[in-house]
């Protein structure tokens, strides 16, 4: 049997494209010998000091809340709890179209059997040092010119590779998810390969 490997994905709960990629990775787990661990990056950290459109700046201001809650959960309950919380948050944010705020965070925590009082972390700077460290760990191998999703994984020869993306919609299912995984690893592990891109013609599809 093929030995299972671990792939690590860095996400911000507010990003719809990261959400779709995360659902794809859960499909990959079912058809390839891959276990996925989820970690927190922050679009709010990434965009600090940048000149942003007013609407996006407001989103970045609100974006501190959910990542702080995720870091608090990671510190108190571990990475498995973060994985479950990400699913709960993403389901409410992207499928349910719920507004960011304490009520959403408390409800998502309750969904996964965690203390809803952890929602208070959203308004606290106590976890910001750990948040920035998690963000840096994810972004360091890929640079600051990208956002989320970021994935770190062993390449075809076992050497570590890191990349932004893939940005996809909708998430492939079954063996199609596995084939995309194989292809992404192949190009990402090619020395000197940096970019493969085309214009997006549709928005996120959450099915």
């Amino acid at each position: 049997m093929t030995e299972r490997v671990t792939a690590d994905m860095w996400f911000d709960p507010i990003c719809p494209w990261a959400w779709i990629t995360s659902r794809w990775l859960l499909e990959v787990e079912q058809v390839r010998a891959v276990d996925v661990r989820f970690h927190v990056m922050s679009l709010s950290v990434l965009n600090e000091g940048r000149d942003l459109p007013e609407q996006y700046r407001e989103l970045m201001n609100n974006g501190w809340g959910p990542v702080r809650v995720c870091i608090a959960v990671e510190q108190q309950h571990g990475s498995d709890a973060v994985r479950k919380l990400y699913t709960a948050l993403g389901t409410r944010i992207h499928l349910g179209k719920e507004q960011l705020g304490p009520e959403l965070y408390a409800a998502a925590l309750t969904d996964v059997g965690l203390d809803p009082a952890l929602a208070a972390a959203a308004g606290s700077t106590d976890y910001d040092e750990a948040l920035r460290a998690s963000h840096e760990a994810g972004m360091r191998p890929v640079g600051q010119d990208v956002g989320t999703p970021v994935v770190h994984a062993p390449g075809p020869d076992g050497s570590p590779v890191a990349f932004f993306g893939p940005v996809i919609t909708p998430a492939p299912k079954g063996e199609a998810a596995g084939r995309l995984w194989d292809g992404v690893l192949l190009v990402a592990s090619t020395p000197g390969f940096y970019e493969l891109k085309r214009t997006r013609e549709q928005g996120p599809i959450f099915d």
Side-chain angles (χ1 to χ4, degrees):
M1 294 181 63
T2 302
E3 183 179 353
R4 295 188 71 84
V5 300
T6 298
D8 295 276
M9 176 185 157
W10 274 258
F11 70 92
D12 186 316
I14 67 174
C15 178
W17 300 104
W19 170 253
I20 294 172
T21 299
S22 73
R23 302 308 95 178
W24 162 65
L25 288 173
L26 296 183
E27 288 286 320
V28 171
E29 281 188 325
Q30 305 306 310
V31 295
R32 295 293 185 270
V34 177
D35 296 315
V36 181
R37 291 185 302 203
F38 292 100
H39 309 268
V40 183
M41 65 84 68
S42 171
L43 291 171
S44 300
V45 171
L46 184 68
N47 286 287
E48 278 184 312
R50 296 183 180 180
D51 186 18
L52 304 172
E54 183 176 350
Q55 185 176 4
Y56 195 68
R57 187 185 311 117
E58 182 179 357
L59 177 62
M60 292 301 95
N61 290 339
N62 293 331
W64 288 96
V67 289
R68 285 169 171 165
V69 173
C70 287
I71 289 293
V73 166
E74 181 179 53
Q75 290 197 344
Q76 296 188 31
H77 298 284
S79 60
D80 287 346
V82 171
R83 175 184 175 122
K84 295 174 182 176
L85 180 61
Y86 182 29
T87 290
L89 286 169
T91 299
R92 289 179 173 274
I93 293 170
H94 303 299
L95 279 64
K97 308 300 182 185
E98 297 183 27
Q99 185 174 358
L100 298 179
E103 290 185 3
L104 185 155
Y105 311 143
L109 288 160
T110 300
D111 288 343
V112 296
L114 296 173
D115 185 354
L118 284 167
S124 171
T125 60
D126 290 351
Y127 297 95
D128 284 7
E129 183 177 353
L131 170 61
R132 291 177 186 278
S134 180
H135 176 91
E136 170 64 17
M139 302 304 292
R140 189 183 308 116
V142 294
Q144 300 300 314
D145 295 329
V146 300
T148 181
V150 166
V151 176
H152 301 185
D157 66 353
S159 300
V161 295
F163 50 88
F164 164 74
V167 176
I168 47 176
T169 191
K173 305 295 195 298
E175 182 57 24
R179 289 195 300 270
L180 178 59
W181 175 255
D182 299 338
V184 167
L185 286 187
L186 178 62
V187 296
S189 63
T190 299
F193 179 86
Y194 292 106
E195 189 167 350
L196 179 68
K197 191 171 184 178
R198 59 187 173 191
T199 300
R200 290 182 210 165
E201 297 179 341
Q202 59 186 156
I205 299 172
F206 306 117
D207 64 3

